[in-house]
């Protein structure tokens, strides 16, 4: 098949050009043109403005032979992971040619992608790179050893870049009406479908803010620490700004925790869907077994990096850089025992095998919360400094779960911390 992969939210004249160019290649090769269309959440981790069925209808009308959904990835994974999974599926499906649009030629894309291919790491692509997503797709295709042929067409410009974001913003700012400017940059079928769906009250798509507010307003630090993409700083900012009744307050909390727009959307999506770190880790491990996740991005590598940085004499940024650039062997411990600071009463009611939620308290101390015989116990953990740093890194990871369990060791109770 000849393939395109996109959000197409909504389908504009740039997307139409992609489909027409794909149609030409498919006809020349006497094969099918397939559009892999993101469903559920967009590649930018947000609900779709125009739903999947409507976008599918438009794509088929414009000349695609089939539309294949990608679903379940973009509220769980950043692009550096989801692209490898999407690309792997396309290759397995028999795709031979991939078509995309960019402002830079294929030769420049290949040149910029080369260092990422050599590193086998597609996280942290520089923000000043033009067409970063196209560079990422090309690099991952090369890394996977695929024979997929890339075709790059020039991005459409009509008094500036044609963008789905600008189209959506214009429709919202004009009380869900399509201005003449918007109509000039979308195909006729897109305008018809948009107006139909607006009339039905289905545009724009919305988040389930009731569920989001409930989670943010009622969850403990320990339970929030289990949700993917929530760092300790974010959790403490969330707690500070309770009670939540509007989306702007949520965004303000994440801005205070130094989240950018993309990570904020991903974190909110994870909250909305109740995505846990364990769920993301298990998903990634499944793809690791298939050889889809690059070794420098896999779960073991992330854990080993945390241990290396925690034990390094270098500052954290330099230690991270050294670990990523060098072939450093690390065997991080996956089980650590932490001491407790208990009152006499708390020590009397302690039991082995009880769940202990681990979190970072408002003072930056690694702590646990337990419920034993109906009594709530909160206390800081006692650990050597390197292990404290290690546990902090694990708690602040996007997808490494940390399980705490009470255990009696040499006549005193400790918390057994299990990483991953």
């Amino acid at each position: 098949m000849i393939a395109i992969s996109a959000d197409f939210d909504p389908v504009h004249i740039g997307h139409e050009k992609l489909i027409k160019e794909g149609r030409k290649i498919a006809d020349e090769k006497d094969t099918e043109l397939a559009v892999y269309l993101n469903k559920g959440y967009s590649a930018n981790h947000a609900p779709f403005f125009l739903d999947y069925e409507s976008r599918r209808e438009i794509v088929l009308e414009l000349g695609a032979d089939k539309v294949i959904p990608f679903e379940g990835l973009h509220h769980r994974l950043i692009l550096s992971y989801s692209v490898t999974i999407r690309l792997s599926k396309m290759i397995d499906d028999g795709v031979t040619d991939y078509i995309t649009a960019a402002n830079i030629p294929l030769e420049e894309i290949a040149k910029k992608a080369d260092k990422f291919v050599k590193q086998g790491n597609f996280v942290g692509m520089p923000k000043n790179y033009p067409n970063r997503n196209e560079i990422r797709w090309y690099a991952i295709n090369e890394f996977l050893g695929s024979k997929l042929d890339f075709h790059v067409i020039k991005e459409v410009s009509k008094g500036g870049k044609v963008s789905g974001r600008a189209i959506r913003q214009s429709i919202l700012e004009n009380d869900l009406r399509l201005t003449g400017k918007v109509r000039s940059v979308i195909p006729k079928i897109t305008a018809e479908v948009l107006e139909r769906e607006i009339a039905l009250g289905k545009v724009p798509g919305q988040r389930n803010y009731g569920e989001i507010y409930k989670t943010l307003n009622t969850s403990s630090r320990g339970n929030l620490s289990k949700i993917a993409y929530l760092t300790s700083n974010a959790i403490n900012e969330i707690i500070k700004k309770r009670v939540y009744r509007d989306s702007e307050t949520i965004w303000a909390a994440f801005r205070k925790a130094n989240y950018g727009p993309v990570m904020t959307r991903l974190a909110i999506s994870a909250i909305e869907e109740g995505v846990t770190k364990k769920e993301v880790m298990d998903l990634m491990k499944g793809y690791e077994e298939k050889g889809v996740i690059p070794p420098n991005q896999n779960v073991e590598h992330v854990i080993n990096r945390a241990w290396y940085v925690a034990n390094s004499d270098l500052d954290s940024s330099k230690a991270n850089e050294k670990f990523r650039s060098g072939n450093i062997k690390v065997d991080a411990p996956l089980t650590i025992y932490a001491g407790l600071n208990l009152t006499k009463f708390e020590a009397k009611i302690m039991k082995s095998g009880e769940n202990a939620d681990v979190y970072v308290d408002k003072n930056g101390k690694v702590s646990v919360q337990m419920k034993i015989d109906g009594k709530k116990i909160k206390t800081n953990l006692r650990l050597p400094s390197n292990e404290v740093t290690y546990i902090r890194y694990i708690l602040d990871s996007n997808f490494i779960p940390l399980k705490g369990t009470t255990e009696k060791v040499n006549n005193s109770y400790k918390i057994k911390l299990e990483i991953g």
Side-chain angles (χ1 to χ4, degrees):
M1 296 187 294
I2 313 302
I4 301 165
S5 176
D7 282 338
F8 285 2
D9 188 32
V11 180
H12 57 59
I13 56 175
H15 303 142
E16 183 181 26
K17 183 181 177 183
L18 265 182
I19 293 169
K20 285 181 177 178
E21 292 298 319
R23 180 76 270 154
K24 285 180 190 175
I25 296 171
D27 289 344
E28 285 169 8
K29 296 196 173 189
D30 192 25
T31 188
E32 291 182 306
L33 171 63
V35 172
Y36 285 80
L37 202 59
N38 292 327
K39 184 178 180 182
Y41 288 81
S42 73
N44 280 321
H45 320 297
F48 282 104
F49 189 78
L50 189 60
D51 70 21
Y52 171 80
E53 292 301 332
S54 298
R55 289 177 289 121
R56 178 179 181 276
E57 176 186 346
I58 297 167
V59 167
L60 291 172
E61 178 69 22
L62 291 176
D65 292 305
K66 62 168 71 171
V67 176
I68 300 168
F70 275 126
E71 190 171 17
L73 295 178
H74 296 121
H75 61 289
R76 292 188 174 103
L77 297 170
I78 59 175
L79 277 176
S80 305
Y81 291 90
S82 66
V83 169
T84 59
I85 295 166
R86 287 154 62 191
L87 190 51
S88 178
K89 174 172 170 49
M90 289 164 62
I91 294 164
D92 289 346
D93 286 350
V95 170
T96 56
D97 297 70
Y98 177 72
I99 302 175
T100 191
N103 276 326
I104 57 177
L106 182 59
E107 295 75 20
E108 190 175 343
I109 288 174
K111 184 178 178 181
K112 289 190 182 316
D114 186 57
K115 74 172 184 178
F116 297 99
V117 178
K118 288 175 179 174
Q119 290 173 357
N121 188 356
F122 309 103
V123 179
M125 195 161 288
K127 290 184 178 180
N128 63 347
Y129 269 20
N131 299 115
R132 282 191 299 160
N133 200 40
E134 286 68 36
I135 294 167
R136 182 182 286 114
W137 275 81
Y138 185 90
I140 291 171
N141 180 60
E142 292 292 303
F143 177 80
L144 293 174
S146 166
K147 300 298 182 185
L148 211 63
D149 286 333
F150 264 62
H151 303 263
V152 177
I153 68 167
K154 185 75 173 173
E155 284 185 349
V156 169
S157 176
K158 196 160 184 173
K161 182 178 178 180
V162 179
S163 109
R165 181 180 299 173
I167 293 167
R168 295 191 298 269
Q169 186 175 343
S170 174
I171 294 171
L172 290 172
E173 288 174 351
N174 288 279
D175 298 321
L176 299 183
R177 287 183 295 106
L178 278 59
T179 63
K181 186 176 180 181
V182 163
R183 290 180 188 277
S184 73
V185 294
I186 59 175
K188 183 182 176 186
I189 180 65
T190 299
E192 291 172 357
V193 171
L194 271 169
E195 290 183 323
R196 182 192 74 204
E197 297 300 294
I198 288 170
L200 292 170
K202 295 168 67 177
V203 172
Q206 300 289 335
R207 289 191 181 277
N208 181 359
Y209 273 108
E211 191 61 36
I212 295 167
Y213 296 148
K214 180 182 174 183
T215 299
L216 294 180
N217 287 332
T218 63
S219 298
S220 66
R221 283 184 174 84
N223 283 331
L224 288 172
S225 292
K226 296 173 186 175
I227 297 176
Y229 305 102
L230 294 188
T231 64
S232 302
N233 281 346
I235 290 165
N236 281 319
E237 290 299 331
I238 286 167
I239 300 290
K240 275 185 203 175
K241 292 191 182 297
R242 287 175 172 171
V243 175
Y244 293 94
R245 296 189 182 92
D246 60 82
S247 60
E248 180 51 40
T249 312
I250 297 172
W251 276 78
F254 282 105
R255 278 196 299 272
K256 189 77 173 172
N258 296 318
Y259 277 54
V262 174
M263 285 306 294
T264 298
R265 287 193 294 269
L266 179 52
I268 293 172
S269 297
I271 293 164
E272 182 176 0
E273 297 292 339
V275 180
T276 64
K277 290 179 178 178
K278 185 177 186 309
E279 178 183 340
V280 176
M281 183 192 71
D282 289 345
L283 179 68
M284 285 179 56
K285 281 188 170 181
Y287 282 109
E288 283 176 25
E289 290 174 6
K290 297 176 184 177
V292 173
I293 305 296
N296 283 351
Q297 292 178 206
N298 69 20
V299 172
E300 183 181 15
H301 189 82
V302 173
I303 294 171
N304 284 341
R305 186 173 72 240
W307 181 249
Y308 175 79
V309 174
N311 287 276
S312 175
D313 293 330
L314 302 170
D315 68 50
S316 59
S317 61
K318 288 182 179 177
N320 259 306
E321 187 180 334
K322 184 175 180 181
F323 184 82
R324 281 190 170 129
S325 61
N327 188 22
I328 297 171
K329 299 294 182 186
V330 176
D331 188 17
L334 299 181
T335 301
I336 285 177
Y337 284 88
L340 293 163
N341 295 305
L342 299 173
T343 66
K344 287 183 179 180
F345 172 75
E346 289 169 343
K348 282 182 181 178
I349 65 171
M350 283 292 291
K351 296 177 182 177
S352 288
E354 298 291 327
N355 178 65
D357 290 334
V358 189
Y359 62 94
V360 175
D361 71 9
K362 64 182 179 181
N363 299 313
K365 303 287 187 182
V366 179
S367 307
V368 289
Q369 177 176 306
M370 301 160 281
K371 199 167 187 179
I372 300 175
D373 292 341
K375 301 288 190 294
K376 191 182 287 185
I377 299 174
K378 290 184 178 180
T379 180
N380 299 145
L381 294 181
R382 289 190 284 112
L383 288 162
S385 60
N386 65 321
E387 292 183 1
V388 169
T389 306
Y390 177 45
I391 295 303
R392 280 296 305 263
Y393 278 122
I394 295 299
L395 284 169
D396 285 341
S397 75
N398 290 327
F399 49 77
I400 307 298
L402 178 64
K403 181 183 178 184
T405 313
T406 61
E407 190 169 311
K408 197 168 189 178
V409 180
N410 298 327
N411 294 320
S412 66
Y413 285 97
K414 294 184 180 292
I415 301 296
K416 180 182 179 181
L417 300 172
E418 296 175 275
I419 293 101

